[in-house]
């Protein structure tokens, strides 16, 4: 691969790198005043997601302000839910709500698998706009939710303490839940392929609620569907697009995490990077700073970032937070993080 291939893509492919690349989950968002302005203009979050011009603008904001090494499409994991037939609403201060959740077989017919290019054309228009607007050294990452995480919202109807509805189905009526998963997979694979065809150069699967499950259930509802997704996308798009898997809370699944058929495994802060490295010596790892270090200020941010960089050893590592950047993050902390990663010498 030539030196002109962007650092982030080289890192994902496990090639030798000068330093780990850096991007942040949720890098476009409310910690940026420029985002809040566009968000206000849009009125609702869904309206923002449906307007390519604004999505391009807010995707570029963190690249221009902080100089991250990769960019992530501005959209949401619940856009596919809406395209499949869910009535999605975002309630300020509370998060997403689905007004017609999936609870039993009579609900199956309500959820369809339309062509994403027709059901959510604005997503792919945003991708095309971004590929024109982004500098060549900053690759664009596309994303969808993993089936389990999307099912958590579709079944429980929003954020939830115990996600009791989806877990009750998983443990008690697996054949019914499987039918919903099959639909989610059909839609998500096509939504992913369409993003990559439109220009996304890497792809991340978000399994935010993987942490809810015991190991046998995780194998059935996270590992197996994620691998079905990853294999299908790989077959459709060829070998060149790195596939990343983020499972929150994967410390509990460390013994099986290497079975995920992704090029890059993203971990949160509850699993030490060194422990993940020891268990998965061949994988590129992404992560894993607790986003709250950035609230604590410049010094704690630099100190923890340096520990993580050292644990990563400078190779086969993409620097990220262990989950999304939070709304009250001071910009000095982000600047300190960028500086620490850029100056790191393995
Ligand atoms: O990372 C990025 O910068 C790209 C955009 C992106 C958003 N959401 C924008 C967003 C991505 C990749 C997501 C993924 C997402 N969305 C996940 C998986 C990763 C994670 O963070 O766990 C989940 C679970 C969601 C669902 C979701 N969307 C929730 C629970 C919420 C409300 C909570 C919150 O932080 O506000 C959202 C809304 C959302 N998605 C916002 C943004 C910038 C904030 C909405 C606003 O501006 O009012």
């Amino acid at each position: 691969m030539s030196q002109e291939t962007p650092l982030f893509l080289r890192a994902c492919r496990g090639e030798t790198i000068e330093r780990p690349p850096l991007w942040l989950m949720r890098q476009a968002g409310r910690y940026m005043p420029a985002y809040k302005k566009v968000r206000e203009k849009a009125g609702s979050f869904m309206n923002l997601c449906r307007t390519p011009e604004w999505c391009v603008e807010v995707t570029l904001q963190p690249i221009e302000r902080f100089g991250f090494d990769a960019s992530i499409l501005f959209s949401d994991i619940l856009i596919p839910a809406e395209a499949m037939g869910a009535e999605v609403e975002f309630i300020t201060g509370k998060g997403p709500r689905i007004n017609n959740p999936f609870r039993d077989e009579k609900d199956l017919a309500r959820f369809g698998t339309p062509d994403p290019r027709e059901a959510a054309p604005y997503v792919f228009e945003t991708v095309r706009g971004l590929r024109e607007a982004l500098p060549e050294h900053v690759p664009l990452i596309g994303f969808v939710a993993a089936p389990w995480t999307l099912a958590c919202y579709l079944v429980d109807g929003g954020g939830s303490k115990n996600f009791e509805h989806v877990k009750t189905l998983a443990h008690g009526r697996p054949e019914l839940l499987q039918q919903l998963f099959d639909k989610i997979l059909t839609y998500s694979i096509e939504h992913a392929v369409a993003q990559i065809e439109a220009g996304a150069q890497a792809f991340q699967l978000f399994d935010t609620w993987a942490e809810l499950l015991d190991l046998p259930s995780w194998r059935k509802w996270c590992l197996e569907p994620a691998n079905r997704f990853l294999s299908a996308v790989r077959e459709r798009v060829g070998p060149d697009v790195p596939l990343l898997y983020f499972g929150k809370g994967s410390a509990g699944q460390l013994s099986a995490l290497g079975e995920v058929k992704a090029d890059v495994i993203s971990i949160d802060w509850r699993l030490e990077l060194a422990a993940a490295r020891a268990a998965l010596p061949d994988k590129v790892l992404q992560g894993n700073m607790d986003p709250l270090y950035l609230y604590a200020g410049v010094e704690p941010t630099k100190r923890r970032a340096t520990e993580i960089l050292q644990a990563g050893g400078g190779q086969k590592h993409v620097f990220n937070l262990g989950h999304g950047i939070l709304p009250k993050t001071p910009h000095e902390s982000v600047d300190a993080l960028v500086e620490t990663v850029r100056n790191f010498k393995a």
Side-chain angles (χ1 to χ4, degrees):
M1 223 24 90
S2 80
Q3 273 303 107
E4 282 146 64
T5 304
L7 174 65
F8 171 76
L9 294 178
R10 283 188 281 127
C12 290
R13 291 171 186 151
E15 294 172 20
T16 305
I17 44 174
E18 311 79 82
R19 61 161 174 92
L22 168 70
W23 70 281
L24 306 180
M25 289 187 267
R26 294 278 188 101
Q27 64 191 19
R30 284 167 303 183
Y31 73 107
M32 294 195 73
Y35 169 83
K36 284 197 264 192
K37 270 198 194 152
V38 180
R39 172 72 176 75
E40 224 165 89
K41 213 164 31 171
S44 73
F45 177 67
M46 286 306 265
N47 198 34
L48 171 53
C49 288
R50 286 192 203 106
T51 312
E53 189 192 330
W54 289 334
C55 290
V56 169
E57 186 179 343
V58 300
T59 305
L60 294 174
Q61 286 167 353
I63 305 303
E64 284 159 3
R65 170 63 183 81
F66 297 109
F68 295 126
D69 298 303
S71 148
I72 180 160
L73 163 71
F74 190 87
S75 185
D76 196 84
I77 62 159
L78 294 176
I79 293 295
E82 188 186 56
M84 292 178 71
E87 291 162 22
V88 182
E89 238 188 306
F90 279 84
I91 298 162
T92 309
K94 278 197 158 176
R97 193 171 74 195
I98 285 165
N99 294 317
N100 57 346
F102 176 91
R103 292 289 158 81
D104 55 41
E105 39 276 279
K106 75 172 172 8
D107 299 324
L108 265 176
R110 275 204 278 111
F111 294 92
T113 55
D115 184 340
R117 297 160 192 86
E118 278 159 31
Y122 41 86
V123 172
F124 316 105
E125 204 180 310
T126 301
V127 171
R128 286 187 289 270
L130 279 168
R131 280 306 300 280
E132 268 180 37
L134 279 164
E136 263 185 46
H137 67 279
V138 183
L140 178 64
I141 306 168
F143 71 91
V144 291
W148 170 252
T149 290
L150 196 61
C152 284
Y153 289 103
L154 284 178
V155 178
D156 269 80
S160 162
K161 185 154 180 276
N162 295 318
F163 281 98
E164 62 186 57
H165 295 287
V166 70
K167 290 186 73 176
T168 303
L169 285 187
H171 299 330
R173 302 202 54 199
E175 59 309 312
L176 175 61
L177 189 59
Q178 188 61 53
Q179 293 186 64
L180 179 66
F181 267 58
D182 289 343
K183 290 192 176 194
I184 293 175
L185 269 163
T186 301
Y187 183 85
S188 308
I189 290 164
E190 207 54 44
H191 195 82
V193 168
Q195 285 180 46
I196 294 164
E197 284 172 356
Q201 294 144 291
F203 199 87
Q204 178 156 314
L205 195 59
F206 281 91
D207 216 349
T208 305
W209 296 117
E211 64 184 351
L212 298 173
L213 294 172
D214 56 63
L215 192 58
S217 304
W218 180 81
R219 282 184 170 280
K220 176 159 178 62
W221 299 109
C222 293
L223 179 64
E224 200 183 293
N227 279 345
R228 272 175 70 193
F229 173 92
L230 293 164
S231 304
V233 172
R234 175 61 75 220
E235 204 177 297
R236 294 277 298 279
V237 305
D240 290 341
V241 179
L243 303 176
L244 298 81
Y245 174 82
F246 168 67
K248 189 153 156 267
S250 31
Q253 298 118 17
L254 185 57
S255 62
L257 206 53
E259 293 171 43
V260 177
K261 289 182 190 156
D263 305 292
V264 180
I265 302 291
S266 193
I267 59 170
D268 78 21
W269 60 92
R270 289 166 291 181
L271 174 58
E272 275 299 301
L273 190 58
R277 179 72 87 211
L280 312 168
D282 301 328
K283 293 276 191 189
V284 176
L285 298 176
Q286 175 174 271
N288 72 336
M289 193 157 96
D290 180 349
L292 265 310
Y293 278 95
L294 286 95
Y295 276 27
V298 166
E299 284 317 311
T301 295
K302 284 187 175 171
R303 176 169 36 84
R304 184 59 185 154
T306 303
E307 285 169 7
I308 289 170
L309 286 160
Q310 283 166 350
Q315 298 297 328
K316 287 185 186 277
H317 183 203
V318 173
F319 201 102
N320 207 315
L321 301 176
H323 195 201
I325 186 166
L326 293 163
K328 284 182 271 178
T329 301
H331 285 198
E332 306 84 74
S333 296
V334 185
D335 286 329
L337 177 60
V338 171
E339 190 196 309
T340 307
V341 178
R342 284 193 171 261
N343 293 334
F344 181 70
K345 300 218 168 36

